[in-house]
PDB file of all heavy atoms in Angstrom:
ATOM      1  N   VAL N 187      -1.379  40.775 -15.369  1.00 96.00           N
ATOM      2  CA  VAL N 187      -2.406  41.646 -15.397  1.00 96.00           C
ATOM      3  C   VAL N 187      -3.694  41.075 -14.863  1.00 96.00           C
ATOM      4  O   VAL N 187      -4.196  40.069 -15.326  1.00 96.00           O
ATOM      5  CB  VAL N 187      -2.498  42.050 -16.890  1.00 96.00           C
ATOM      6  CG1 VAL N 187      -3.639  43.127 -16.999  1.00 96.00           C
ATOM      7  CG2 VAL N 187      -1.277  42.621 -17.422  1.00 96.00           C
ATOM      8  N   GLU N 188      -4.257  41.724 -13.968  1.00 95.00           N
ATOM      9  CA  GLU N 188      -5.509  41.166 -13.205  1.00 95.00           C
ATOM     10  C   GLU N 188      -6.601  41.424 -14.107  1.00 95.00           C
ATOM     11  O   GLU N 188      -6.820  42.516 -14.839  1.00 95.00           O
ATOM     12  CB  GLU N 188      -5.704  42.022 -11.914  1.00 95.00           C
ATOM     13  CG  GLU N 188      -6.948  41.372 -11.109  1.00 95.00           C
ATOM     14  CD  GLU N 188      -7.145  42.112  -9.847  1.00 95.00           C
ATOM     15  OE1 GLU N 188      -7.569  43.339  -9.950  1.00 95.00           O
ATOM     16  OE2 GLU N 188      -6.915  41.624  -8.845  1.00 95.00           O
ATOM     17  N   ARG N 189      -7.464  40.447 -14.353  1.00 95.00           N
ATOM     18  CA  ARG N 189      -8.646  40.505 -15.143  1.00 95.00           C
ATOM     19  C   ARG N 189      -9.890  39.823 -14.431  1.00 95.00           C
ATOM     20  O   ARG N 189      -9.726  39.017 -13.547  1.00 95.00           O
ATOM     21  CB  ARG N 189      -8.414  39.833 -16.476  1.00 95.00           C
ATOM     22  CG  ARG N 189      -8.181  38.435 -16.342  1.00 95.00           C
ATOM     23  CD  ARG N 189      -7.835  37.739 -17.679  1.00 95.00           C
ATOM     24  NE  ARG N 189      -7.654  36.262 -17.516  1.00 95.00           N
ATOM     25  CZ  ARG N 189      -7.506  35.461 -18.553  1.00 95.00           C
ATOM     26  NH1 ARG N 189      -7.572  35.867 -19.756  1.00 95.00           N
ATOM     27  NH2 ARG N 189      -7.244  34.145 -18.311  1.00 95.00           N
ATOM     28  N   VAL N 190     -10.949  40.333 -14.767  1.00 95.00           N
ATOM     29  CA  VAL N 190     -12.240  39.811 -14.266  1.00 95.00           C
ATOM     30  C   VAL N 190     -13.281  39.483 -15.337  1.00 95.00           C
ATOM     31  O   VAL N 190     -13.184  40.078 -16.543  1.00 95.00           O
ATOM     32  CB  VAL N 190     -12.949  40.797 -13.228  1.00 95.00           C
ATOM     33  CG1 VAL N 190     -12.095  41.066 -12.095  1.00 95.00           C
ATOM     34  CG2 VAL N 190     -13.325  42.100 -13.971  1.00 95.00           C
ATOM     35  N   THR N 191     -14.162  38.555 -15.126  1.00 93.00           N
ATOM     36  CA  THR N 191     -15.320  38.190 -16.091  1.00 93.00           C
ATOM     37  C   THR N 191     -16.570  38.440 -15.405  1.00 93.00           C
ATOM     38  O   THR N 191     -16.835  38.132 -14.244  1.00 93.00           O
ATOM     39  CB  THR N 191     -15.038  36.740 -16.542  1.00 93.00           C
ATOM     40  OG1 THR N 191     -16.096  36.595 -17.597  1.00 93.00           O
ATOM     41  CG2 THR N 191     -15.132  35.784 -15.467  1.00 93.00           C
ATOM     42  N   ARG N 192     -17.498  39.017 -16.137  1.00 91.00           N
ATOM     43  CA  ARG N 192     -18.855  39.211 -15.643  1.00 91.00           C
ATOM     44  C   ARG N 192     -19.876  38.272 -16.337  1.00 91.00           C
ATOM     45  O   ARG N 192     -21.161  38.342 -16.139  1.00 91.00           O
ATOM     46  CB  ARG N 192     -19.244  40.580 -15.872  1.00 91.00           C
ATOM     47  CG  ARG N 192     -18.248  41.577 -15.181  1.00 91.00           C
ATOM     48  CD  ARG N 192     -18.609  43.020 -15.222  1.00 91.00           C
ATOM     49  NE  ARG N 192     -17.586  43.926 -14.831  1.00 91.00           N
ATOM     50  CZ  ARG N 192     -17.062  44.156 -13.681  1.00 91.00           C
ATOM     51  NH1 ARG N 192     -17.673  43.456 -12.577  1.00 91.00           N
ATOM     52  NH2 ARG N 192     -16.044  44.992 -13.501  1.00 91.00           N
ATOM     53  N   ASP N 193     -19.455  37.411 -17.262  1.00 88.00           N
ATOM     54  CA  ASP N 193     -20.381  36.559 -18.034  1.00 88.00           C
ATOM     55  C   ASP N 193     -19.786  35.215 -18.108  1.00 88.00           C
ATOM     56  O   ASP N 193     -19.840  34.524 -19.189  1.00 88.00           O
ATOM     57  CB  ASP N 193     -20.482  37.226 -19.418  1.00 88.00           C
ATOM     58  CG  ASP N 193     -19.279  37.435 -20.128  1.00 88.00           C
ATOM     59  OD1 ASP N 193     -18.172  37.052 -19.661  1.00 88.00           O
ATOM     60  OD2 ASP N 193     -19.289  37.952 -21.282  1.00 88.00           O
ATOM     61  N   THR N 197     -16.147  36.696 -21.810  1.00 91.00           N
ATOM     62  CA  THR N 197     -15.306  37.859 -21.966  1.00 91.00           C
ATOM     63  C   THR N 197     -14.530  38.140 -20.746  1.00 91.00           C
ATOM     64  O   THR N 197     -15.057  37.879 -19.598  1.00 91.00           O
ATOM     65  CB  THR N 197     -16.130  39.007 -22.564  1.00 91.00           C
ATOM     66  OG1 THR N 197     -17.066  39.404 -21.556  1.00 91.00           O
ATOM     67  CG2 THR N 197     -16.701  38.725 -23.861  1.00 91.00           C
ATOM     68  N   PHE N 198     -13.408  38.914 -20.882  1.00 94.00           N
ATOM     69  CA  PHE N 198     -12.674  39.386 -19.637  1.00 94.00           C
ATOM     70  C   PHE N 198     -12.401  40.910 -19.822  1.00 94.00           C
ATOM     71  O   PHE N 198     -12.270  41.421 -20.827  1.00 94.00           O
ATOM     72  CB  PHE N 198     -11.365  38.714 -19.632  1.00 94.00           C
ATOM     73  CG  PHE N 198     -11.449  37.212 -19.465  1.00 94.00           C
ATOM     74  CD1 PHE N 198     -11.359  36.304 -20.395  1.00 94.00           C
ATOM     75  CD2 PHE N 198     -11.584  36.671 -18.067  1.00 94.00           C
ATOM     76  CE1 PHE N 198     -11.426  35.000 -20.219  1.00 94.00           C
ATOM     77  CE2 PHE N 198     -11.658  35.349 -17.776  1.00 94.00           C
ATOM     78  CZ  PHE N 198     -11.569  34.486 -18.939  1.00 94.00           C
ATOM     79  N   GLU N 199     -12.320  41.461 -18.640  1.00 95.00           N
ATOM     80  CA  GLU N 199     -11.995  42.907 -18.476  1.00 95.00           C
ATOM     81  C   GLU N 199     -10.755  43.033 -17.566  1.00 95.00           C
ATOM     82  O   GLU N 199     -10.683  42.547 -16.606  1.00 95.00           O
ATOM     83  CB  GLU N 199     -13.160  43.757 -17.958  1.00 95.00           C
ATOM     84  CG  GLU N 199     -14.387  43.700 -18.699  1.00 95.00           C
ATOM     85  CD  GLU N 199     -15.558  44.363 -18.027  1.00 95.00           C
ATOM     86  OE1 GLU N 199     -15.311  45.069 -17.054  1.00 95.00           O
ATOM     87  OE2 GLU N 199     -16.705  44.274 -18.471  1.00 95.00           O
ATOM     88  N   HIS N 200      -9.779  43.934 -18.073  1.00 95.00           N
ATOM     89  CA  HIS N 200      -8.625  44.224 -17.381  1.00 95.00           C
ATOM     90  C   HIS N 200      -9.034  45.231 -16.222  1.00 95.00           C
ATOM     91  O   HIS N 200      -9.608  46.271 -16.593  1.00 95.00           O
ATOM     92  CB  HIS N 200      -7.542  44.697 -18.198  1.00 95.00           C
ATOM     93  CG  HIS N 200      -7.009  43.634 -18.986  1.00 95.00           C
ATOM     94  ND1 HIS N 200      -6.126  43.943 -20.093  1.00 95.00           N
ATOM     95  CD2 HIS N 200      -7.162  42.287 -19.110  1.00 95.00           C
ATOM     96  CE1 HIS N 200      -5.831  42.818 -20.706  1.00 95.00           C
ATOM     97  NE2 HIS N 200      -6.409  41.834 -20.140  1.00 95.00           N
ATOM     98  N   THR N 201      -8.657  45.031 -15.090  1.00 94.00           N
ATOM     99  CA  THR N 201      -8.978  45.973 -14.032  1.00 94.00           C
ATOM    100  C   THR N 201      -7.930  47.095 -13.827  1.00 94.00           C
ATOM    101  O   THR N 201      -8.167  48.132 -13.195  1.00 94.00           O
ATOM    102  CB  THR N 201      -9.018  45.267 -12.623  1.00 94.00           C
ATOM    103  OG1 THR N 201      -7.655  44.688 -12.284  1.00 94.00           O
ATOM    104  CG2 THR N 201      -9.920  44.050 -12.594  1.00 94.00           C
ATOM    105  N   GLY N 202      -6.867  47.053 -14.558  1.00 93.00           N
ATOM    106  CA  GLY N 202      -5.718  48.096 -14.411  1.00 93.00           C
ATOM    107  C   GLY N 202      -4.763  47.735 -13.403  1.00 93.00           C
ATOM    108  O   GLY N 202      -3.783  48.501 -13.244  1.00 93.00           O
TER     109      GLY N 202
END
Side-chain angles (χ1 to χ4, degrees):
V187 177
E188 187 180 69
R189 60 181 185 176
V190 296
T191 179
R192 307 184 192 284
D193 52 8
T197 60
F198 294 97
E199 298 176 8
H200 293 170
T201 64

